[in-house]
Coordinates of all heavy atoms in Angstrom, one line a residue:
H1 N -43.7 -27.6 30.4 CA -44.4 -26.3 30.3 C -43.8 -25.5 29.1 O -44.6 -24.7 28.5 CB -44.4 -25.5 31.6 CG -45.2 -26.1 32.7 ND1 -46.0 -27.2 32.5 CD2 -45.4 -25.7 33.9 CE1 -46.7 -27.5 33.6 NE2 -46.3 -26.6 34.5
G2 N -42.5 -25.6 28.9 CA -41.9 -24.8 27.9 C -42.5 -25.0 26.5 O -42.8 -24.1 25.7
L3 N -42.7 -26.3 26.2 CA -43.2 -26.7 24.9 C -44.7 -26.2 24.7 O -45.1 -25.8 23.6 CB -43.1 -28.2 24.6 CG -41.7 -28.7 24.3 CD1 -41.8 -30.2 24.2 CD2 -41.1 -28.1 23.1
R4 N -45.4 -26.3 25.8 CA -46.8 -25.9 25.8 C -46.9 -24.4 25.5 O -47.7 -23.9 24.7 CB -47.5 -26.2 27.1 CG -48.9 -26.0 27.1 CD -49.5 -26.5 28.3 NE -51.0 -26.7 28.2 CZ -51.8 -27.1 29.1 NH1 -51.3 -27.4 30.3 NH2 -53.0 -27.1 28.9
V5 N -46.0 -23.6 26.1 CA -46.0 -22.1 25.9 C -45.7 -21.8 24.5 O -46.3 -21.0 23.9 CB -45.1 -21.4 26.9 CG1 -44.9 -20.0 26.6 CG2 -45.6 -21.6 28.4
I6 N -44.7 -22.5 24.0 CA -44.3 -22.3 22.6 C -45.4 -22.6 21.6 O -45.7 -21.9 20.7 CB -43.0 -23.1 22.2 CG1 -41.8 -22.5 23.0 CG2 -42.7 -23.1 20.8 CD1 -40.5 -23.3 22.9
S7 N -46.1 -23.7 21.9 CA -47.2 -24.2 21.1 C -48.3 -23.1 21.1 O -48.9 -22.8 20.0 CB -47.7 -25.5 21.6 OG -48.8 -25.9 20.8
I8 N -48.7 -22.6 22.2 CA -49.7 -21.6 22.4 C -49.3 -20.4 21.6 O -50.1 -19.7 20.9 CB -50.1 -21.3 23.8 CG1 -50.8 -22.6 24.4 CG2 -50.9 -20.1 24.0 CD1 -50.9 -22.5 25.9
F9 N -48.0 -20.0 21.8 CA -47.5 -18.8 21.1 C -47.6 -19.0 19.6 O -48.1 -18.0 18.9 CB -46.1 -18.6 21.5 CG -45.4 -17.4 20.7 CD1 -45.7 -16.1 21.0 CD2 -44.6 -17.7 19.7 CE1 -45.1 -15.1 20.3 CE2 -44.0 -16.7 18.9 CZ -44.3 -15.4 19.3
N10 N -47.3 -20.1 19.1 CA -47.3 -20.4 17.6 C -48.8 -20.3 17.1 O -49.0 -19.8 16.0 CB -46.7 -21.7 17.3 CG -45.2 -21.7 17.4 OD1 -44.6 -20.6 17.2 ND2 -44.5 -22.8 17.6
I11 N -49.7 -20.8 17.9 CA -51.1 -20.8 17.5 C -51.6 -19.3 17.4 O -52.2 -18.9 16.5 CB -52.0 -21.6 18.5 CG1 -51.7 -23.1 18.3 CG2 -53.5 -21.3 18.3 CD1 -52.3 -24.0 19.4
L12 N -51.3 -18.5 18.5 CA -51.7 -17.1 18.5 C -51.0 -16.4 17.3 O -51.6 -15.6 16.7 CB -51.3 -16.5 19.8 CG -52.1 -17.0 21.0 CD1 -51.6 -16.4 22.3 CD2 -53.6 -16.6 20.8
K13 N -49.7 -16.6 17.1 CA -49.0 -16.0 16.0 C -49.7 -16.3 14.6 O -49.9 -15.4 13.8 CB -47.6 -16.4 16.0 CG -46.7 -15.8 14.9 CD -45.3 -16.2 15.0 CE -44.5 -15.7 13.9 NZ -43.1 -16.3 13.9
R14 N -50.0 -17.6 14.4 CA -50.7 -18.0 13.2 C -52.0 -17.3 13.0 O -52.4 -16.9 11.9 CB -50.8 -19.5 13.2 CG -51.4 -20.1 12.0 CD -50.5 -19.8 10.9 NE -50.5 -20.8 9.9 CZ -49.6 -20.9 8.9 NH1 -48.7 -20.0 8.9 NH2 -49.7 -21.8 8.1
R15 N -52.8 -17.2 14.1 CA -54.1 -16.5 14.0 C -53.9 -15.0 13.6 O -54.7 -14.5 12.8 CB -54.9 -16.6 15.3 CG -55.5 -18.0 15.5 CD -56.4 -18.0 16.7 NE -56.9 -19.3 16.9 CZ -57.4 -19.7 18.1 NH1 -57.5 -18.9 19.1 NH2 -57.8 -20.9 18.2
L16 N -52.9 -14.4 14.2 CA -52.7 -13.0 13.9 C -52.3 -12.8 12.4 O -52.7 -11.9 11.7 CB -51.6 -12.4 14.8 CG -52.0 -12.1 16.2 CD1 -50.8 -11.7 17.0 CD2 -53.0 -11.0 16.3
M17 N -51.4 -13.8 11.9 CA -51.0 -13.7 10.5 C -52.2 -14.0 9.6 O -52.3 -13.3 8.6 CB -49.9 -14.7 10.3 CG -48.6 -14.3 10.9 SD -47.2 -15.4 10.4 CE -47.7 -17.0 10.8
N18 N -53.1 -14.9 10.0 CA -54.3 -15.2 9.2 C -55.2 -14.0 9.1 O -55.7 -13.6 8.1 CB -55.0 -16.4 9.7 CG -54.5 -17.7 9.3 OD1 -53.5 -17.8 8.5 ND2 -55.0 -18.8 9.8
N19 N -55.3 -13.3 10.3 CA -56.2 -12.1 10.3 C -55.6 -11.0 9.5 O -56.3 -10.3 8.7 CB -56.3 -11.6 11.8 CG -57.3 -12.5 12.6 OD1 -58.0 -13.3 12.0 ND2 -57.2 -12.3 13.9
A20 N -54.3 -10.8 9.5 CA -53.6 -9.8 8.7 C -53.8 -10.2 7.2 O -54.0 -9.3 6.4 CB -52.1 -9.7 9.0
F21 N -53.7 -11.4 6.9 CA -53.8 -11.9 5.5 C -55.3 -11.6 5.0 O -55.5 -11.1 3.9 CB -53.5 -13.4 5.4 CG -53.8 -13.9 4.0 CD1 -53.0 -13.6 2.9 CD2 -54.9 -14.8 3.9 CE1 -53.3 -14.1 1.7 CE2 -55.2 -15.3 2.6 CZ -54.4 -15.0 1.5
L22 N -56.2 -12.0 5.9 CA -57.7 -11.8 5.5 C -58.0 -10.3 5.3 O -58.7 -9.9 4.3 CB -58.6 -12.4 6.5 CG -58.6 -13.9 6.6 CD1 -59.4 -14.4 7.7 CD2 -59.0 -14.6 5.3
E23 N -57.4 -9.5 6.1 CA -57.6 -8.0 6.0 C -57.0 -7.5 4.7 O -57.5 -6.7 4.0 CB -57.0 -7.3 7.2 CG -57.9 -7.4 8.5 CD -57.2 -6.8 9.7 OE1 -56.2 -6.1 9.5 OE2 -57.7 -7.1 10.8
G24 N -55.8 -8.0 4.4 CA -55.1 -7.7 3.2 C -55.8 -8.1 1.9 O -55.9 -7.4 1.0
M25 N -56.4 -9.3 2.0 CA -57.1 -9.8 0.8 C -58.4 -9.0 0.6 O -58.8 -8.7 -0.5 CB -57.5 -11.3 1.0 CG -56.3 -12.3 0.9 SD -55.5 -12.2 -0.8 CE -56.8 -12.8 -1.8
A26 N -59.0 -8.6 1.7 CA -60.2 -7.7 1.6 C -59.9 -6.4 0.9 O -60.6 -5.9 0.1 CB -60.8 -7.5 3.0
E27 N -58.7 -5.9 1.3 CA -58.2 -4.6 0.6 C -58.0 -4.9 -0.9 O -58.4 -4.0 -1.7 CB -57.0 -4.1 1.3 CG -57.2 -3.4 2.6 CD -55.9 -2.9 3.2 OE1 -55.0 -2.4 2.4 OE2 -55.8 -2.8 4.4
I28 N -57.3 -6.0 -1.2 CA -57.0 -6.3 -2.6 C -58.3 -6.4 -3.4 O -58.4 -5.9 -4.5 CB -56.2 -7.6 -2.7 CG1 -54.8 -7.4 -2.2 CG2 -56.2 -8.1 -4.2 CD1 -54.0 -8.6 -2.0
F29 N -59.3 -7.0 -2.8 CA -60.6 -7.2 -3.5 C -61.6 -6.1 -3.4 O -62.6 -6.1 -3.9 CB -61.3 -8.5 -3.1 CG -60.6 -9.8 -3.6 CD1 -60.6 -10.9 -2.7 CD2 -60.2 -9.9 -4.9 CE1 -60.0 -12.1 -3.2 CE2 -59.6 -11.1 -5.3 CZ -59.5 -12.2 -4.5
E30 N -61.2 -5.1 -2.5 CA -62.0 -4.0 -2.3 C -63.4 -4.4 -1.8 O -64.4 -3.9 -2.2 CB -62.1 -3.1 -3.5 CG -60.8 -2.5 -3.9 CD -60.8 -1.6 -5.2 OE1 -61.9 -1.6 -5.8 OE2 -59.8 -1.1 -5.5
V31 N -63.4 -5.3 -0.8 CA -64.6 -5.7 -0.1 C -64.5 -5.4 1.4 O -63.3 -5.2 1.9 CB -64.9 -7.2 -0.3 CG1 -65.2 -7.5 -1.8 CG2 -63.8 -8.1 0.2
D32 N -65.6 -5.3 2.1 CA -65.5 -5.0 3.5 C -64.8 -6.1 4.4 O -64.0 -5.8 5.2 CB -66.9 -4.7 4.1 CG -67.5 -3.4 3.5 OD1 -66.7 -2.5 3.2 OD2 -68.7 -3.3 3.4
T33 N -65.3 -7.3 4.2 CA -64.8 -8.4 4.9 C -64.8 -9.7 4.1 O -65.5 -9.8 3.1 CB -65.6 -8.7 6.2 OG1 -66.9 -9.0 5.8 CG2 -65.6 -7.5 7.1
L34 N -63.9 -10.6 4.5 CA -64.0 -12.0 3.9 C -63.4 -12.9 4.9 O -62.9 -12.5 5.9 CB -63.3 -12.1 2.6 CG -61.9 -11.6 2.4 CD1 -60.9 -12.5 2.9 CD2 -61.6 -11.4 0.9
N35 N -63.6 -14.2 4.7 CA -63.1 -15.2 5.6 C -62.4 -16.3 4.9 O -62.4 -16.3 3.6 CB -64.2 -15.7 6.6 CG -65.3 -16.4 5.8 OD1 -65.1 -17.2 5.0 ND2 -66.6 -16.0 6.1
E36 N -62.0 -17.3 5.6 CA -61.2 -18.4 4.9 C -62.1 -19.2 4.0 O -61.6 -19.8 3.0 CB -60.7 -19.3 6.0 CG -59.6 -18.7 6.8 CD -59.0 -19.6 7.8 OE1 -59.3 -20.8 7.8 OE2 -58.2 -19.2 8.7
E37 N -63.4 -19.2 4.2 CA -64.3 -19.9 3.3 C -64.8 -19.1 2.1 O -65.5 -19.6 1.2 CB -65.5 -20.4 4.1 CG -65.2 -21.2 5.3 CD -64.4 -22.4 5.0 OE1 -64.7 -23.1 4.0 OE2 -63.4 -22.7 5.8
S38 N -64.4 -17.9 2.0 CA -64.8 -17.0 0.9 C -64.3 -17.5 -0.5 O -63.2 -17.8 -0.7 CB -64.3 -15.6 1.1 OG -64.8 -15.0 2.2
K39 N -65.3 -17.6 -1.4 CA -65.0 -18.0 -2.8 C -65.1 -16.8 -3.7 O -66.0 -16.0 -3.5 CB -66.0 -19.1 -3.2 CG -65.8 -20.4 -2.4 CD -66.8 -21.4 -2.9 CE -66.4 -22.8 -2.4 NZ -67.1 -23.3 -1.3
F40 N -64.1 -16.7 -4.6 CA -64.0 -15.5 -5.4 C -65.3 -15.3 -6.2 O -65.7 -14.1 -6.3 CB -62.8 -15.6 -6.3 CG -61.5 -15.8 -5.6 CD1 -60.4 -16.3 -6.2 CD2 -61.4 -15.4 -4.2 CE1 -59.2 -16.5 -5.6 CE2 -60.2 -15.6 -3.6 CZ -59.1 -16.1 -4.2
D41 N -65.9 -16.3 -6.8 CA -67.0 -16.1 -7.6 C -68.2 -15.6 -6.8 O -69.1 -14.8 -7.3 CB -67.4 -17.3 -8.4 CG -67.7 -18.6 -7.6 OD1 -67.3 -18.6 -6.4 OD2 -68.2 -19.5 -8.1
E42 N -68.3 -16.1 -5.5 CA -69.4 -15.6 -4.7 C -69.2 -14.2 -4.2 O -70.2 -13.5 -3.9 CB -69.5 -16.5 -3.5 CG -70.0 -17.9 -3.8 CD -69.9 -18.9 -2.6 OE1 -69.6 -18.4 -1.5 OE2 -70.2 -20.1 -2.8
L43 N -67.9 -13.7 -4.2 CA -67.7 -12.4 -3.8 C -67.8 -11.4 -5.0 O -67.9 -10.2 -4.8 CB -66.2 -12.2 -3.3 CG -65.9 -12.9 -2.0 CD1 -64.4 -12.9 -1.7 CD2 -66.6 -12.2 -0.8
D44 N -67.9 -12.0 -6.1 CA -68.0 -11.2 -7.4 C -66.8 -10.2 -7.5 O -67.0 -9.0 -7.6 CB -69.3 -10.4 -7.4 CG -69.6 -9.8 -8.8 OD1 -69.1 -10.4 -9.8 OD2 -70.3 -8.8 -8.9
V45 N -65.6 -10.8 -7.3 CA -64.4 -10.0 -7.4 C -63.6 -10.5 -8.6 O -63.8 -11.5 -9.2 CB -63.5 -10.2 -6.2 CG1 -64.2 -9.6 -4.9 CG2 -63.1 -11.6 -5.9
V46 N -62.6 -9.7 -9.0 CA -61.8 -10.0 -10.2 C -60.5 -10.6 -9.7 O -59.8 -9.9 -8.9 CB -61.5 -8.7 -11.0 CG1 -60.6 -9.0 -12.2 CG2 -62.8 -8.1 -11.5
W47 N -60.2 -11.8 -10.1 CA -59.0 -12.5 -9.7 C -58.1 -12.4 -11.0 O -57.9 -13.4 -11.7 CB -59.3 -13.9 -9.3 CG -58.1 -14.7 -8.8 CD1 -57.7 -16.0 -9.3 CD2 -57.2 -14.4 -7.7 NE1 -56.7 -16.4 -8.6 CE2 -56.3 -15.5 -7.6 CE3 -57.1 -13.4 -6.9 CZ2 -55.3 -15.5 -6.6 CZ3 -56.1 -13.4 -5.9 CH2 -55.2 -14.5 -5.8
D48 N -57.5 -11.3 -11.1 CA -56.6 -11.0 -12.3 C -55.2 -10.9 -11.9 O -54.8 -11.1 -10.8 CB -57.1 -9.7 -13.0 CG -57.0 -8.5 -12.2 OD1 -56.5 -8.6 -11.0 OD2 -57.5 -7.4 -12.6
S49 N -54.3 -10.6 -12.9 CA -52.9 -10.5 -12.6 C -52.5 -9.5 -11.6 O -51.6 -9.8 -10.8 CB -52.1 -10.2 -13.9 OG -52.5 -9.0 -14.5
L50 N -53.2 -8.4 -11.5 CA -52.9 -7.4 -10.5 C -53.3 -8.0 -9.1 O -52.5 -7.8 -8.1 CB -53.7 -6.1 -10.7 CG -53.5 -5.0 -9.7 CD1 -52.0 -4.6 -9.6 CD2 -54.3 -3.8 -10.1
A51 N -54.4 -8.6 -9.0 CA -54.8 -9.2 -7.7 C -53.8 -10.3 -7.3 O -53.4 -10.4 -6.1 CB -56.2 -9.8 -7.8
I52 N -53.3 -11.1 -8.3 CA -52.4 -12.2 -8.0 C -51.0 -11.6 -7.5 O -50.5 -12.1 -6.5 CB -52.2 -13.1 -9.2 CG1 -53.5 -13.9 -9.4 CG2 -51.0 -14.0 -9.1 CD1 -53.6 -14.6 -10.7
V53 N -50.5 -10.6 -8.2 CA -49.2 -10.0 -7.8 C -49.4 -9.4 -6.4 O -48.5 -9.5 -5.6 CB -48.8 -9.0 -8.9 CG1 -47.6 -8.1 -8.3 CG2 -48.4 -9.6 -10.2
S54 N -50.5 -8.7 -6.2 CA -50.7 -8.2 -4.8 C -50.8 -9.2 -3.8 O -50.2 -9.1 -2.7 CB -52.0 -7.3 -4.8 OG -51.9 -6.3 -5.7
T55 N -51.4 -10.4 -4.1 CA -51.5 -11.5 -3.2 C -50.1 -12.1 -2.9 O -49.8 -12.5 -1.8 CB -52.5 -12.5 -3.7 OG1 -53.7 -11.9 -3.9 CG2 -52.6 -13.7 -2.8
I56 N -49.3 -12.2 -3.9 CA -47.9 -12.7 -3.8 C -47.2 -11.9 -2.7 O -46.5 -12.4 -1.8 CB -47.1 -12.8 -5.1 CG1 -47.7 -13.8 -6.0 CG2 -45.6 -13.0 -4.9 CD1 -47.2 -13.8 -7.4
A57 N -47.2 -10.6 -2.9 CA -46.6 -9.7 -1.9 C -47.2 -9.8 -0.5 O -46.4 -9.9 0.5 CB -46.7 -8.2 -2.4
L58 N -48.5 -10.0 -0.4 CA -49.2 -10.1 0.9 C -48.7 -11.4 1.5 O -48.5 -11.5 2.8 CB -50.7 -10.1 0.7 CG -51.5 -10.2 1.9 CD1 -51.3 -9.0 2.9 CD2 -53.0 -10.3 1.6
L59 N -48.7 -12.5 0.8 CA -48.2 -13.8 1.3 C -46.8 -13.7 1.8 O -46.5 -14.3 2.9 CB -48.4 -14.9 0.3 CG -49.8 -15.3 -0.1 CD1 -49.8 -16.2 -1.3 CD2 -50.5 -16.0 1.0
D60 N -46.0 -13.1 1.1 CA -44.6 -12.9 1.6 C -44.5 -12.1 2.9 O -43.8 -12.5 3.8 CB -43.8 -12.2 0.5 CG -42.3 -12.0 0.9 OD1 -41.7 -12.9 1.5 OD2 -41.7 -11.0 0.5
Q61 N -45.3 -11.1 3.0 CA -45.4 -10.2 4.2 C -45.9 -11.0 5.4 O -45.4 -10.9 6.5 CB -46.2 -9.0 3.9 CG -46.4 -8.1 5.1 CD -47.3 -6.9 4.7 OE1 -47.6 -6.6 3.6 NE2 -47.6 -6.1 5.7
C62 N -47.0 -11.7 5.2 CA -47.7 -12.3 6.3 C -47.2 -13.7 6.7 O -47.1 -14.0 7.9 CB -49.2 -12.5 5.9 SG -50.2 -11.0 5.8
F63 N -46.7 -14.5 5.7 CA -46.3 -15.8 6.0 C -44.8 -16.1 5.6 O -44.4 -17.3 5.8 CB -47.2 -16.8 5.3 CG -48.7 -16.7 5.6 CD1 -49.6 -16.1 4.7 CD2 -49.1 -17.1 6.9 CE1 -50.9 -16.0 5.1 CE2 -50.4 -17.0 7.2 CZ -51.3 -16.4 6.3
D64 N -44.2 -15.2 5.0 CA -42.8 -15.4 4.6 C -42.7 -16.5 3.6 O -41.8 -17.4 3.7 CB -41.9 -15.5 5.8 CG -40.4 -15.3 5.4 OD1 -40.1 -14.6 4.4 OD2 -39.5 -16.0 6.1
V65 N -43.6 -16.6 2.7 CA -43.6 -17.7 1.6 C -43.7 -17.0 0.3 O -44.3 -15.9 0.1 CB -44.7 -18.8 1.8 CG1 -44.5 -19.5 3.1 CG2 -46.0 -18.2 1.7
M66 N -43.2 -17.6 -0.7 CA -43.3 -17.2 -2.1 C -44.0 -18.2 -2.9 O -43.5 -19.4 -3.1 CB -41.9 -16.9 -2.7 CG -41.2 -15.7 -2.1 SD -42.1 -14.1 -2.3 CE -42.0 -13.9 -4.0
I67 N -45.2 -17.9 -3.3 CA -46.0 -18.9 -4.1 C -46.1 -18.3 -5.5 O -46.4 -17.1 -5.7 CB -47.4 -19.0 -3.5 CG1 -47.2 -19.7 -2.1 CG2 -48.3 -19.9 -4.4 CD1 -48.5 -20.0 -1.4
P68 N -45.7 -19.1 -6.5 CA -45.7 -18.6 -7.9 C -47.1 -18.2 -8.4 O -48.1 -18.8 -8.0 CB -45.3 -19.8 -8.7 CG -44.6 -20.7 -7.7 CD -45.3 -20.5 -6.4
G69 N -47.1 -17.1 -9.2 CA -48.4 -16.6 -9.7 C -49.1 -17.7 -10.5 O -50.4 -17.7 -10.5
S70 N -48.4 -18.6 -11.2 CA -49.1 -19.7 -11.9 C -49.9 -20.6 -11.0 O -51.0 -21.0 -11.4 CB -48.1 -20.5 -12.7 OG -47.1 -21.1 -11.8
Q71 N -49.4 -20.8 -9.8 CA -50.2 -21.6 -8.9 C -51.4 -20.8 -8.3 O -52.5 -21.3 -8.2 CB -49.4 -22.1 -7.7 CG -48.4 -23.2 -8.0 CD -47.7 -23.7 -6.8 OE1 -47.1 -22.9 -6.1 NE2 -47.8 -25.0 -6.5
L72 N -51.2 -19.5 -8.0 CA -52.3 -18.7 -7.5 C -53.4 -18.5 -8.6 O -54.5 -18.4 -8.2 CB -51.7 -17.4 -7.1 CG -51.0 -17.4 -5.7 CD1 -50.4 -16.0 -5.5 CD2 -51.9 -17.8 -4.6
A73 N -53.0 -18.5 -9.8 CA -54.0 -18.3 -10.9 C -55.0 -19.4 -10.9 O -56.1 -19.2 -11.4 CB -53.3 -18.2 -12.2
E74 N -54.6 -20.6 -10.4 CA -55.5 -21.7 -10.4 C -56.5 -21.8 -9.3 O -57.4 -22.6 -9.3 CB -54.7 -23.0 -10.4 CG -53.7 -23.1 -11.6 CD -54.5 -23.2 -12.9 OE1 -55.5 -23.9 -13.0 OE2 -54.0 -22.5 -13.9
V75 N -56.3 -21.0 -8.2 CA -57.2 -21.1 -7.1 C -58.5 -20.3 -7.3 O -58.5 -19.3 -8.1 CB -56.5 -20.6 -5.8 CG1 -55.2 -21.4 -5.5 CG2 -56.2 -19.1 -5.8
S76 N -59.5 -20.6 -6.5 CA -60.8 -19.9 -6.6 C -61.4 -19.5 -5.2 O -62.5 -19.1 -5.1 CB -61.8 -20.7 -7.4 OG -62.0 -22.0 -6.7
S77 N -60.5 -19.7 -4.2 CA -61.0 -19.3 -2.8 C -59.9 -18.9 -1.9 O -58.7 -19.3 -2.2 CB -61.8 -20.5 -2.2 OG -60.9 -21.5 -1.9
V78 N -60.2 -18.3 -0.9 CA -59.2 -17.9 0.1 C -58.6 -19.2 0.8 O -57.4 -19.3 1.0 CB -59.8 -17.0 1.2 CG1 -58.8 -16.8 2.4 CG2 -60.2 -15.7 0.6
N79 N -59.4 -20.2 1.0 CA -59.0 -21.4 1.6 C -58.0 -22.1 0.8 O -57.0 -22.7 1.3 CB -60.2 -22.3 1.9 CG -59.9 -23.3 3.0 OD1 -59.1 -23.1 3.9 ND2 -60.6 -24.4 2.9
E80 N -58.1 -22.1 -0.5 CA -57.2 -22.7 -1.4 C -55.8 -22.0 -1.4 O -54.8 -22.6 -1.5 CB -57.7 -22.7 -2.9 CG -58.8 -23.7 -3.1 CD -59.4 -23.6 -4.5 OE1 -58.7 -23.1 -5.4 OE2 -60.5 -24.1 -4.7
I81 N -55.8 -20.7 -1.2 CA -54.6 -19.9 -1.1 C -53.9 -20.4 0.2 O -52.7 -20.6 0.3 CB -54.8 -18.4 -1.0 CG1 -55.4 -17.9 -2.4 CG2 -53.5 -17.7 -0.7 CD1 -55.8 -16.5 -2.4
L82 N -54.7 -20.5 1.3 CA -54.1 -20.9 2.6 C -53.6 -22.3 2.5 O -52.6 -22.6 3.2 CB -55.1 -20.7 3.7 CG -55.4 -19.2 4.0 CD1 -56.6 -19.1 5.0 CD2 -54.2 -18.5 4.5
S83 N -54.2 -23.2 1.8 CA -53.7 -24.5 1.6 C -52.3 -24.5 0.9 O -51.4 -25.3 1.2 CB -54.7 -25.4 0.8 OG -55.8 -25.6 1.5
L84 N -52.2 -23.6 -0.1 CA -50.9 -23.5 -0.8 C -49.8 -23.0 0.2 O -48.7 -23.5 0.2 CB -50.9 -22.5 -1.9 CG -51.7 -22.9 -3.2 CD1 -51.8 -21.8 -4.2 CD2 -51.0 -24.1 -3.8
V85 N -50.2 -22.1 1.1 CA -49.3 -21.6 2.2 C -48.8 -22.8 3.1 O -47.7 -23.0 3.4 CB -49.9 -20.5 3.0 CG1 -49.0 -20.2 4.2 CG2 -50.1 -19.3 2.2
E86 N -49.8 -23.6 3.5 CA -49.5 -24.8 4.3 C -48.6 -25.7 3.7 O -47.7 -26.3 4.3 CB -50.8 -25.5 4.7 CG -51.7 -24.7 5.7 CD -51.0 -24.6 7.1 OE1 -50.3 -25.5 7.6 OE2 -51.1 -23.5 7.7
S87 N -48.7 -25.9 2.4 CA -47.9 -26.9 1.6 C -46.4 -26.4 1.5 O -45.5 -27.2 1.3 CB -48.4 -27.1 0.2 OG -48.3 -26.0 -0.6
Q88 N -46.2 -25.1 1.8 CA -44.9 -24.5 1.7 C -44.2 -24.7 3.1 O -42.9 -24.5 3.1 CB -44.9 -23.0 1.4 CG -45.5 -22.7 0.0 CD -44.6 -23.1 -1.1 OE1 -43.4 -22.9 -1.1 NE2 -45.1 -23.8 -2.1
N89 N -44.9 -24.9 4.1 CA -44.3 -25.0 5.5 C -44.1 -26.5 5.9 O -44.4 -27.4 5.4 CB -45.2 -24.4 6.5 CG -45.3 -22.9 6.3 OD1 -44.3 -22.3 5.8 ND2 -46.4 -22.3 6.6

């Protein structure tokens, strides 16, 4: 039972971190909402150096990972950012 409780806790913790990340990304892009499938060109947002630096700080806060700006500059969706996070864990 102990492993099952830890597993459920980790799933809930991950969902909370994802929600905090999505809310933070919405603030960075100045949009009402977005989700993991959101693509930057469809949102009509600017993915510039300021957005990238803000995202680096948000990723550190939400997931305790540091992803280089050069890698983030290549992404075009929220899902791609989350894939970079997964590759760090």
Side-chain angles (χ1 to χ4, degrees):
H1 288 357
L3 288 176
R4 189 174 196 183
V5 170
I6 291 171
S7 179
I8 291 170
F9 174 77
N10 286 336
I11 290 169
L12 291 173
K13 182 179 173 186
R14 184 59 146 193
R15 283 190 184 159
L16 286 173
M17 289 188 308
N18 277 356
N19 287 343
F21 173 72
L22 291 173
E23 289 174 11
M25 288 301 294
E27 284 183 31
I28 289 169
F29 286 142
E30 298 178 353
V31 296
D32 292 331
T33 60
L34 51 78
N35 60 50
E36 292 180 11
E37 304 303 318
S38 297
K39 295 183 167 98
F40 302 158
D41 59 343
E42 293 173 3
L43 292 171
D44 193 29
V45 295
V46 177
W47 185 234
D48 60 5
S49 59
L50 181 59
I52 290 170
V53 169
S54 298
T55 301
I56 290 170
L58 182 63
L59 290 170
D60 182 37
Q61 178 184 350
C62 291
F63 301 109
D64 196 29
V65 297
M66 291 300 293
I67 297 182
S70 58
Q71 284 185 306
L72 286 173
E74 301 296 318
V75 303
S76 60
S77 70
V78 173
N79 204 27
E80 289 177 20
I81 295 173
L82 292 172
S83 292
L84 288 174
V85 171
E86 287 296 320
S87 72
Q88 298 290 313
N89 294 328

